[in-house]
Amino acid sequence: MISPSSRANRGWWDGNADDYQLEHGAFLRDDGFVWCPEGVDEADARLLGDVRGRRVLEIGCGAAQCARWLMGQGARVAAFDLSHRQLRHAQRIDLGGPAVPLVQADAEALPFAGESFELACSAFGALPFVADPLAVLREVRRVLVPGGRFVFSVSHPIRWAFPDDPGPRGLTSDRSYFDRSPYTEQNDDGSLGYVEHHRTMGDWVGLVVASGLAVTGLLEPEWPEGHERVWGGWSPLRGRQLPGTAIFSCART
Ligand SMILES: C[S@@+](CC[C@H](N)C(=O)[O-])C[C@H]1O[C@@H](n2cnc3c(N)ncnc32)[C@H](O)[C@@H]1O
């Protein structure tokens, strides 16, 4: 059964997918693999290593830009997202190559057989939004082969303690880093319209370990010199002072 968080977020992403792709599509590039607003590009970072011939699962794929890049590198890819409208954008982008295999699914219950993939990846897909990230991590472990790896990016936990504002207001902490109450928005009828959940850095490490995966790396990308693009609360001003993204590398031992 779908959780209240996932039900709310499915509606939100269906309603906002068009705006998201309009605003960020050019930065993400139709066949680019951008991990975060800081612009870390998998073509340079190679956090997944050599993907050629590997079976790779993209989690919370949006318009499947990353999946398209992976296919271009010779990976065998499946991609899924909770939002039908995001997947419509994934179908809309046609670069003349083979279509990305797409599934509509909730990351808390993966419709894939065990040990189906050597690699899994997620660029801000699903993990910041789910009420039960341990369920997602356990599902990822289940579908990975022994020795398989999972790399995922999320908002850096320290950002929770600050207003989500790209300007100077966003530089002064106004709440506790340790406050785990989720950020929520309501629909006009009072129902839950959007949810984002907060975990501390220690929570994330604990969750990965509890799922049976091991943390093998953590990248806190620095704001690149000359990068001026503002994305929500991410900006050059804040990026110079505070990390905005955490990228965890994990392995199934
Ligand atoms: C910030 S977007 C990132 C999309 C894409 N990875 C990118 O970089 O543009 C977050 C995505 O996660 C998806 N998502 C949210 N909750 C999810 C869940 N429980 N299962 C699968 N996808 C989910 C949303 O529909 C949305 O497409």
Side-chain angles (χ1 to χ4, degrees):
M1 218 193 52
I2 192 164
S3 71
S5 291
S6 290
R7 183 180 301 108
N9 286 329
R10 185 175 59 192
W12 193 90
W13 282 101
D14 280 345
N16 289 273
D18 294 3
D19 288 345
Y20 179 86
Q21 297 302 334
L22 193 64
E23 188 176 351
H24 303 299
F27 177 67
L28 294 172
R29 308 193 312 279
D30 287 348
D31 58 353
F33 192 145
V34 179
W35 280 106
C36 52
E38 290 85 350
V40 174
D41 194 322
E42 179 60 11
D44 308 317
R46 298 283 171 183
L47 298 175
L48 295 168
D50 185 7
V51 299
R52 182 166 302 279
R54 300 270 198 276
R55 292 167 295 169
V56 188
L57 177 64
E58 186 184 4
I59 295 165
C61 64
Q65 290 92 344
C66 303
R68 235 170 267 109
W69 182 85
L70 289 162
M71 287 174 70
Q73 300 294 305
R76 295 151 60 196
V77 179
F80 76 91
D81 199 281
L82 183 64
S83 159
H84 177 255
R85 191 68 195 168
Q86 286 280 60
L87 293 172
R88 291 294 293 175
H89 283 281
Q91 289 174 317
R92 169 185 57 80
I93 299 169
D94 179 1
L95 303 178
V100 180
L102 298 167
V103 182
Q104 183 173 15
D106 184 348
E108 289 178 345
L110 299 184
F112 301 101
E115 304 192 0
S116 303
F117 300 95
E118 280 93 30
L119 292 167
C121 60
S122 182
F124 281 82
L127 281 158
F129 306 102
V130 293
D132 189 355
L134 183 55
V136 176
L137 291 163
R138 284 191 172 133
E139 278 292 84
V140 173
R141 182 185 183 280
R142 181 181 66 77
V143 301
L144 283 175
V145 298
R149 296 192 306 108
F150 177 39
V151 182
F152 67 96
S153 59
V154 292
S155 302
H156 196 289
I158 193 63
R159 287 284 172 110
W160 201 253
F162 296 81
D164 191 30
D165 184 326
R169 203 174 72 86
L171 294 175
T172 304
S173 173
D174 67 349
R175 63 185 286 187
S176 169
Y177 169 76
F178 300 105
D179 179 355
R180 269 77 159 192
S181 45
Y183 169 81
T184 59
E185 294 174 7
Q186 315 301 317
N187 293 318
D188 291 343
D189 65 2
S191 60
L192 193 58
Y194 178 85
V195 193
E196 226 175 292
H197 292 272
H198 168 56
R199 278 99 206 176
T200 67
M201 200 57 102
D203 291 343
W204 278 120
V205 172
L207 287 161
V208 170
V209 171
S211 75
L213 296 168
V215 177
T216 56
L218 169 59
L219 180 64
E220 296 169 294
E222 294 190 29
W223 194 267
E225 200 61 46
H227 180 48
E228 294 302 324
R229 188 173 192 275
V230 173
W231 179 327
W234 284 261
S235 65
L237 177 75
R238 296 182 84 205
R240 280 192 285 271
Q241 307 281 15
L242 292 168
T245 298
I247 309 179
F248 290 90
S249 294
C250 314
R252 177 176 170 177
T253 48

